[in-house]
Amino acid sequence: MSAYCNTFLSKDHSYYSDKSLLLFCQHLDDTFHLYSVSDERFEILVRLNWPKVTLDQPGPPAYYSGFDILGLGSVNGILCLISKTLQDMILWNPSTEEFKVIPPNPFDSGVWEDHTEFGYDSLRNDFKVMRHMHDFQNNDFNEIWEIYSVRNNSWKKLDVGMRHYPMENKQLYIVGLSHWLCKTKPDNKPYLLSFDWSNEVFLTTPSPSNVEGIFTCLVESFLVLLNGSIALIICYKETYTSHILILSELGVRESWTKIFNVGRSLSYFNKWQNGGGKKGRILFDKDGDRLAWFDLNTQMVEDLDIFTEDFCCFLLFHKENLHPFEGKNL
């Protein structure tokens, strides 16, 4: 296991080739800022301007206060932005300033939205947005999956009978697949739900058998991308310890491998979710007031000179894409 961990941490994964870092910050006044990061110590931050698209909303134009970002990184260089009122979605390429406003969904009558996902169909060179909806018409409960295609500029319903209850709404996207943690009802058993954007099908992976019974109010869990792999971090609030598991093969419960136990010295369990990185480094919010790197190789914490008392931050990986995606330029 020690040899496996050393190999895992030391390898250079192709996922990170030519990728840059973006720092996304949400302030207490409900404004959103996005920064380009020049190095991993975050010593040089360049604030990026949001796309100047005026949405049909009351008050000032939405871009004055910025947008929320869907997911934990860009998809082939494209970010999916959510307006402040949660009513509008915009696909945006920060490298070319090209953007596209997603048209209204024609199936919205009588439904409410659970969550939204964004991905790329490599077979058709097509960016897609998927929404999970609940329909309560006629006293009947139905789950509806709807998907939008940029290439076709249209929405359609997916014919899938997938009922799910997400434990978190931030998707983890890796090479044509989106992943998020869900749980069953009523027994609250966790599992990984994945969506293949090219074939438009779901795949489920059961949670590790040795941790299945621990998901309670005393435990917090979330996904990060660690050295190009899906990593599940399980944090215990009572003991201030964390377990980190890596998934080797989708759909196979036995392929979960627990590779790290992080000791009590790291009592930041509720702030891990800023993001993972390469060579076993994880960004987190230390004590709720500043960003720091945690190095799994050395078990050491490296403080960064970014203080977060009045906002929360997420680390995004971004790869420059200079090709058009059926949008328009500013």
Side-chain angles (χ1 to χ4, degrees):
M1 181 57 67
S2 177
Y4 176 86
C5 293
N6 291 334
T7 301
F8 176 81
L9 292 176
S10 62
K11 68 179 180 180
D12 284 318
H13 198 280
S14 59
Y15 175 86
Y16 299 98
S17 300
D18 302 323
K19 276 189 166 57
S20 61
L21 293 176
L22 301 177
L23 188 67
F24 173 65
C25 301
Q26 179 179 358
H27 295 259
L28 293 180
D29 61 359
D30 210 20
T31 58
F32 304 89
H33 295 155
L34 183 64
Y35 301 89
S36 174
V37 181
S38 297
D39 63 356
E40 292 190 358
R41 280 201 52 81
F42 293 20
E43 292 179 345
I44 302 176
L45 297 178
V46 177
R47 183 172 168 180
L48 302 181
N49 295 319
W50 296 111
K52 293 180 175 60
V53 51
T54 302
L55 304 173
D56 186 16
Q57 299 177 355
Y63 64 82
Y64 285 169
S65 58
F67 298 89
D68 197 0
I69 294 181
L70 187 67
L72 297 173
S74 66
V75 174
N76 284 41
I78 309 301
L79 293 172
C80 185
L81 310 180
I82 308 295
S83 68
K84 192 172 181 180
T85 61
L86 306 180
Q87 298 299 313
D88 297 276
M89 289 182 290
I90 300 96
L91 301 185
W92 176 50
N93 187 337
S95 301
T96 63
E97 297 189 327
E98 183 187 11
F99 71 90
K100 179 176 181 60
V101 179
I102 304 299
N105 189 331
F107 312 119
D108 276 353
S109 178
V111 301
W112 63 273
E113 181 178 351
D114 188 351
H115 67 95
T116 305
E117 309 297 338
F118 168 56
Y120 176 69
D121 176 355
S122 60
L123 294 180
R124 300 167 184 82
N125 188 26
D126 190 10
F127 291 92
K128 297 178 178 179
V129 175
M130 182 174 64
R131 300 172 68 191
H132 177 236
M133 316 291 289
H134 294 284
D135 185 357
F136 290 102
Q137 290 184 349
N138 301 321
N139 295 321
D140 191 18
F141 175 84
N142 294 301
E143 294 202 42
I144 302 173
W145 295 89
E146 305 163 351
I147 194 165
Y148 170 80
S149 162
V150 170
R151 177 172 288 276
N152 298 328
N153 193 30
S154 63
W155 288 88
K156 70 176 182 180
K157 290 186 178 182
L158 289 179
D159 186 18
V160 293
M162 175 63 67
R163 284 202 170 189
H164 84 305
Y165 301 89
M167 298 173 63
E168 61 177 6
N169 288 329
K170 285 287 185 180
Q171 72 167 8
L172 179 64
Y173 176 88
I174 311 175
V175 194
L177 294 168
S178 289
H179 315 274
W180 58 99
L181 282 178
C182 297
K183 59 183 177 181
T184 60
K185 289 289 187 178
D187 49 7
N188 290 329
K189 290 184 177 181
Y191 64 94
L192 181 73
L193 183 63
S194 306
F195 184 74
D196 183 330
W197 289 96
S198 294
N199 298 308
E200 297 184 353
V201 295
F202 288 97
L203 177 66
T204 60
T205 304
S207 62
S209 57
N210 58 335
V211 301
E212 187 173 275
I214 67 170
F215 287 77
T216 68
C217 61
L218 301 178
V219 177
E220 188 169 353
S221 60
F222 45 89
L223 296 174
V224 298
L225 182 66
L226 188 60
N227 277 29
S229 298
I230 298 172
L232 172 63
I233 300 181
I234 303 171
C235 305
Y236 301 84
K237 297 183 179 182
E238 287 187 332
T239 60
Y240 299 107
T241 58
S242 302
H243 292 168
I244 301 178
L245 301 95
I246 301 298
L247 181 65
S248 300
E249 184 178 354
L250 288 175
V252 181
R253 164 182 273 175
E254 292 74 19
S255 68
W256 287 105
T257 303
K258 184 166 68 174
I259 60 173
F260 297 106
N261 293 321
V262 182
R264 186 179 178 85
S265 59
L266 277 182
S267 57
Y268 319 114
F269 59 89
N270 62 336
K271 295 296 182 179
W272 281 97
Q273 57 264 43
N274 281 302
K278 57 183 178 180
K279 295 297 182 68
R281 304 181 79 198
I282 301 177
L283 184 75
F284 67 98
D285 200 345
K286 181 181 177 181
D287 292 331
D289 61 10
R290 72 185 301 169
L291 290 182
W293 282 113
F294 176 66
D295 192 329
L296 289 169
N297 292 280
T298 62
Q299 301 277 303
M300 299 294 292
V301 175
E302 179 185 2
D303 292 334
L304 301 173
D305 292 329
I306 297 181
F307 294 90
T308 60
E309 295 95 337
D310 64 338
F311 59 88
C312 63
C313 294
F314 292 92
L315 180 68
L316 308 172
F317 286 100
H318 173 69
K319 187 170 184 176
E320 185 178 67
N321 183 353
L322 300 179
H323 298 288
F325 71 99
E326 307 292 337
K328 62 180 180 179
N329 293 323
L330 295 178

